[in-house]
Amino acid sequence: MCGIVGYIGQEDTKEILLNGLEKLEYRGYDSAGIATLNGGVNISKVKGRIATLREAVDENIHSTLGIGHTRWATHGAPSKENAHPHQSTSGRFTIVHNGVIENYMDVKNEYLADVELKSETDTEIIVQLIEVLNNELQDVNAAFRKAVNLLTGSYAIALIDAEDENTIYVAKNKSPLLVGLGEDFNAVASDSMAALHITDQFLELMDKETVLLRREEVIIQDPNGKNVTREPFTAELDTTDIEKGTYPHFMLKEIDEQPFVIRKIIQQYKNEDDQIKLDPEIREAMKQCDRIYIIAAGTSYHAGLLGKQFIEKLANIPVEVHVASEFSYNMPLLSEKPLFIYISQSGETADSRSVLVQTKELGHPALTITNVPGSTLSREADYTLHLHAGPEIAVASTKAYTAQMAVLAILAVDTARAKGLELDFDPMQELAIVANAMEALTDQKEALEELAKDYLPTTRNCFFIGRGIDFYVGLEGSLKLKEISYIQAEGFAGGELKHGTIALIEEGTPVIALATQKNVNYSIRGNVQEVEARGANSMIISMKGLNKDGDAFVIPHVHDLLTPLVSVIPLQLISYYAALHRDCDVDKPRNLAKSVTVE
Ligand code: M6R
C-alpha cells in the first residue's frame, strides 16, 4: 500500500527519492510523485509507474531536500490530481501521507469551510489544516503537532515548508514509518528497503510521535511536544536481498528460495543439542492457554488453517482460525485463557492490527509470527516468532507461506513436548526432507509451465479441490492463481462441489485436485470423476506412494502433515506461468498491495 520516502542532506535528492520509491513499488500503487525544495517547491506527479515519474521529473532541478510517495487509492480515483504530494492553498506547505483519516469530513467542516480543495483526498485536508493552524499560531512545529493531534485514523506523514530548507516534518500513527540516519543527512521511509541504498541505521517511531528531521539532527517529540530519545537499530538486510538478480520476476526468485528458507528456519530454531530453540515465555504461554485464536488475512490465513491442524493434532490444544477483518467486528465468545496468534508476513496488516489492539485491551496475551521483526504487529504483541524468509517483494506471497507453516509446525511440536506428550515426529528431520522435496520441484519448472499452458491457456475460471489439509492448500492455490492471472479461481472441499458449484462445470472447465492424503485418496479421486463426467478438464496433483496412472504431477513423499509445504509449490509455479502467458504483471498485480495498511 502507499509508500513514503523523504531525504534531507547534501546530495541531489531526485535520484535518492526515485530509487527509494522503486524499492517501495512492491507494496502496490497506482500513482506516484515527488516534491523537492530549492528556493521554491517543485512537484512532479503521475498516474502510473515510477518509470513514468522518472520521465516527468525535470533533470535541471537540483535540491538537497525532498519527499516522495507511491499512492494506492483510498479516497478518490487513481489520477494525477489525487496523486501525492499535495499542497496547501498558498503553496507554502507540501505533504505526502499514507493511511486513512477517519474524521476528515469533521476537520473539513470545522476548520476548512473557506478553503477551496483541489483534490478528492483526505490528505489535502491535513496540509490545508496545517496552513490554517499556522496562520493562527505562527509556529510551524506547533501547527503541525496540533494538526496531527486533531486527526483520527491512520497516518504516516512527511511535510515540507517552502520557507524552511532545513526541516522535514514527520508524524506517524498506526501506519509504518522509520527514520533513516546518516553522517550528514537524514531520511524517512515507510520501510527500511526504501532507504537501504543510503543507510542501514534506523530509528523506530511510535504512534502519535512527531519528528523534526534536519540535516544535522533528528528530534522526536511526543504528542505534548516533549523530546523523546531512542537508540537506532541496524537493518539486517542486504541490498542484494531486495534485487531480482538474474530472475525475470521476484515471485519466481522467491519460489526458488523456499528450500533455503526452510533450511534457515531449521538452523534458527535448533540449539547445539539439536533441540528446539524457542523463547521459554512463548513455550509457557502456549502451555498455559486453554484455546488458541489464530488471526490473519489472505495467504497468512491459509497458513493459519494449517497451523490449526498442526497444533490440534500434535499439541492437543483447540484452535480457532479467524479472518482478521471479520473478527474485529464480530468477536466470538472467548475461552477463559485464550492465546492470540497473529500471522502476518509484513507485520503491518491493519485488519490484524485492529484485532491485536482490541485483544490487548482485553488483557489477552499475543504472539506474532512475522517476517518483519520490527513491524507493528511484532512490536505490539507480547512475543514474536521470526520467519527468517528474507524480504518478500512479489505481491503474491510464496516463501512466507511455507515459512509460516514450518514455524507453526515447530511451535506445535515444542508445545507438545513441553506438555509431556509423546510424539513420533521430529520436525527438524521432517523439514529437512521437505526442503529437499521443494528443491526437486523447483527443478521441474518446464513440466509445470507445460501444465499451465495445457490447462489454463484461455480459461475464464478454474476450481481447486481437496479434502482435509489438501482443501486448505487448494484455497491457497486458488488465491495465487486469481491474484496474479485474474482467472476466477475458487477452492472447495472435494465433497462440497456437488452441493452447488458443480453447476458451473462445463466442457473444458479446469479442475485441479490435490491428492496427498492417504485417508481421503479414494474419495477425492471419486470427486474428480464426478466433475470429469460433466466435462471438466481435470488435473490431479498427487504424492508419491499415493499416485495413480494418469496423474498430471507427482510430488515427492514427505510426512503427511507437512505435505502443504510441498504440494503448494506446483500450484505457485502453475499460477506464475499462467500469469506470465497472459502477459500479466506478475510481481505487481492490478489493484493489489503487498502490505495492506488500511482496514
Ligand atoms: O502481510 P500479511 O501476511 O499480513 O498479508 C496478508 C495478506 O494481505 C496477504 O497474504 C495477501 O493475501 C497476499 N497477496 C497473498 O498472496
Side-chain angles (χ1 to χ4, degrees):
M1 225 148 243
C2 310
I4 285 180
V5 58
Y7 171 86
I8 176 162
Q10 315 300 325
E11 304 289 319
D12 184 39
T13 191
K14 287 190 302 285
E15 193 47 41
I16 293 172
L17 295 179
L18 289 168
N19 203 326
L21 291 181
E22 276 161 358
K23 298 291 181 304
L24 292 173
E25 280 191 295
Y26 79 99
R27 297 166 74 96
Y29 70 107
D30 38 52
S31 55
I34 62 169
T36 55
L37 176 59
N38 186 3
V41 178
N42 197 285
I43 295 183
S44 309
K45 51 188 190 176
V46 297
K47 178 180 173 198
R49 296 295 184 205
I50 306 296
T52 319
L53 178 63
R54 267 189 183 283
E55 286 163 17
V57 171
D58 184 346
E59 279 196 6
N60 300 317
I61 288 176
H62 297 285
S63 151
T64 54
L65 185 168
I67 52 179
H69 191 261
T70 48
R71 174 175 188 255
W72 189 85
T74 54
H75 290 72
S79 65
K80 187 175 172 187
E81 293 67 41
N82 290 332
H84 301 209
H86 289 284
Q87 277 195 314
S88 60
T89 302
S90 73
R92 175 165 174 186
F93 297 105
T94 307
I95 197 170
V96 292
H97 157 237
N98 294 349
V100 174
I101 303 304
E102 286 162 8
N103 63 338
Y104 80 103
M105 280 309 282
D106 298 341
V107 171
K108 182 175 173 223
N109 294 338
E110 191 170 340
Y111 295 89
L112 307 175
D114 303 330
V115 177
E116 195 181 322
L117 299 171
K118 296 183 283 276
S119 75
E120 301 162 273
T121 65
D122 51 346
T123 303
E124 193 188 344
I125 299 289
I126 312 173
V127 73
Q128 298 287 14
L129 176 65
I130 292 165
E131 178 151 293
V132 166
L133 294 174
N134 185 56
N135 289 342
E136 185 186 308
L137 300 169
Q138 294 299 310
D139 176 338
V140 179
N141 189 31
F144 182 68
R145 215 175 40 248
K146 183 164 179 192
V148 295
N149 286 344
L150 283 169
L151 304 176
T152 60
S154 55
Y155 54 79
I157 292 170
L159 174 104
I160 55 178
D161 171 3
E163 295 179 15
D164 177 1
E165 302 215 352
N166 196 29
T167 311
I168 299 180
Y169 295 85
V170 171
K172 168 205 152 37
N173 187 42
K174 296 189 193 169
S175 296
L177 200 61
L178 293 172
V179 167
L181 305 172
E183 277 286 298
D184 46 11
F185 70 87
N186 288 302
V188 61
S190 293
D191 67 43
S192 53
M193 289 188 228
L196 213 55
H197 56 301
I198 49 174
T199 184
D200 65 355
Q201 294 300 302
F202 291 91
L203 283 175
E204 273 182 38
L205 297 178
M206 301 300 150
D207 284 349
K208 304 235 160 109
E209 286 179 341
T210 55
V211 183
L212 299 170
L213 196 74
R214 302 200 167 112
R215 287 180 178 80
E216 70 290 351
E217 63 179 356
V218 173
I219 302 171
I220 305 178
Q221 297 184 319
D222 72 10
N224 301 316
K226 197 161 160 258
N227 288 3
V228 174
T229 51
R230 182 151 312 133
E231 285 303 307
F233 69 92
T234 305
E236 286 168 22
L237 273 178
D238 196 307
T239 38
T240 54
D241 287 346
I242 53 174
E243 303 293 343
K244 277 200 291 251
T246 52
Y247 281 90
H249 296 102
F250 280 107
M251 183 179 176
L252 195 61
K253 174 174 178 259
E254 288 159 9
I255 290 173
D256 270 0
E257 282 170 353
Q258 291 177 103
F260 308 105
V261 171
I262 298 302
R263 289 182 190 123
K264 177 99 187 270
I265 289 172
I266 296 174
Q267 194 195 352
Q268 293 292 328
Y269 283 94
K270 198 162 73 170
N271 64 21
E272 298 93 43
D273 305 323
D274 277 355
Q275 298 302 314
I276 296 177
K277 186 172 72 184
L278 205 79
D279 177 351
E281 288 191 25
I282 297 180
R283 187 168 294 150
E284 202 46 35
M286 290 289 288
K287 242 175 97 179
Q288 292 307 325
C289 71
D290 63 357
R291 184 172 285 260
I292 289 170
Y293 295 81
I294 293 181
I295 309 293
T299 288
S300 296
Y301 170 74
H302 295 157
L305 293 171
L306 291 153
K308 171 182 163 78
Q309 304 297 313
F310 303 158
I311 297 170
E312 289 191 338
K313 292 205 165 83
L314 298 170
N316 205 23
I317 302 173
V319 181
E320 290 180 24
V321 191
H322 292 272
V323 168
S325 56
E326 282 299 306
F327 193 92
S328 226
Y329 301 97
N330 193 13
M331 199 181 287
L333 280 180
L334 300 180
S335 67
E336 272 181 29
K337 290 190 285 176
L339 170 66
F340 280 81
I341 299 185
Y342 294 87
I343 307 180
S344 174
Q345 187 286 129
S346 62
E348 299 295 349
T349 298
D351 292 324
S352 300
R353 202 233 174 191
S354 147
V355 182
L356 175 60
V357 170
Q358 290 178 48
T359 58
K360 289 303 291 172
E361 272 167 20
L362 294 171
H364 301 312
L367 160 66
T368 290
I369 300 181
T370 182
N371 204 23
V372 188
S375 59
T376 307
L377 284 170
S378 165
R379 281 202 315 270
E380 295 182 357
D382 303 285
Y383 324 105
T384 295
L385 288 177
H386 186 193
L387 295 176
H388 297 286
E392 190 181 66
I393 310 286
V395 163
S397 184
T398 52
K399 61 178 180 172
Y401 171 71
T402 44
Q404 286 163 343
M405 290 190 286
V407 169
L408 283 160
I410 293 170
L411 178 67
V413 172
D414 185 74
T415 309
R417 288 183 182 156
K419 288 175 71 181
L421 301 175
E422 285 287 317
L423 284 187
D424 181 19
F425 180 76
D426 177 344
M428 302 311 188
Q429 201 181 328
E430 298 300 344
L431 284 170
I433 297 171
V434 162
N436 293 342
M438 286 173 154
E439 221 152 45
L441 292 178
T442 54
D443 282 349
Q444 296 181 59
K445 292 193 185 69
E446 278 175 20
L448 291 160
E449 182 168 8
E450 283 311 308
L451 284 179
K453 279 203 244 166
D454 288 351
Y455 283 82
L456 306 167
T458 54
T459 188
R460 209 165 33 89
N461 55 6
C462 174
F463 297 102
F464 289 75
I465 57 171
R467 286 177 174 250
I469 62 179
D470 284 342
F471 162 45
Y472 301 131
V473 182
L475 293 179
E476 174 58 11
S478 72
L479 177 59
K480 272 317 64 97
L481 185 64
K482 74 181 116 185
E483 70 180 327
I484 59 169
S485 74
Y486 317 140
I487 294 171
Q488 178 167 11
E490 298 301 332
F492 288 96
E496 191 62 16
L497 265 188
K498 60 180 170 293
H499 295 289
T501 312
I502 204 165
L504 296 176
I505 302 289
E506 294 170 350
E507 201 55 42
T509 305
V511 175
I512 301 180
L514 289 157
T516 75
Q517 301 297 303
K518 195 170 177 196
N519 60 337
V520 290
N521 197 20
Y522 178 77
S523 36
I524 190 68
R525 288 174 186 277
N527 297 137
V528 171
Q529 282 174 5
E530 288 162 9
V531 292
E532 276 181 353
R534 280 140 188 104
N537 185 19
S538 70
M539 169 204 305
I540 297 183
I541 297 180
S542 60
M543 182 167 72
K544 196 153 198 273
L546 297 176
N547 59 307
K548 304 249 188 273
D549 285 350
D551 288 354
F553 196 80
V554 182
I555 63 166
H557 186 274
V558 293
H559 190 288
D560 264 10
L561 263 185
L562 300 182
T563 54
L565 285 89
V566 180
S567 60
V568 75
I569 292 186
L571 304 186
Q572 293 169 344
L573 282 164
I574 288 171
S575 302
Y576 171 79
Y577 287 114
L580 198 68
H581 291 294
R582 286 171 180 242
D583 282 335
C584 298
D585 189 345
V586 174
D587 284 339
K588 296 188 282 285
R590 69 184 180 207
N591 304 338
L592 292 182
K594 180 69 181 164
S595 192
V596 184
T597 50
V598 293
E599 281 174 47

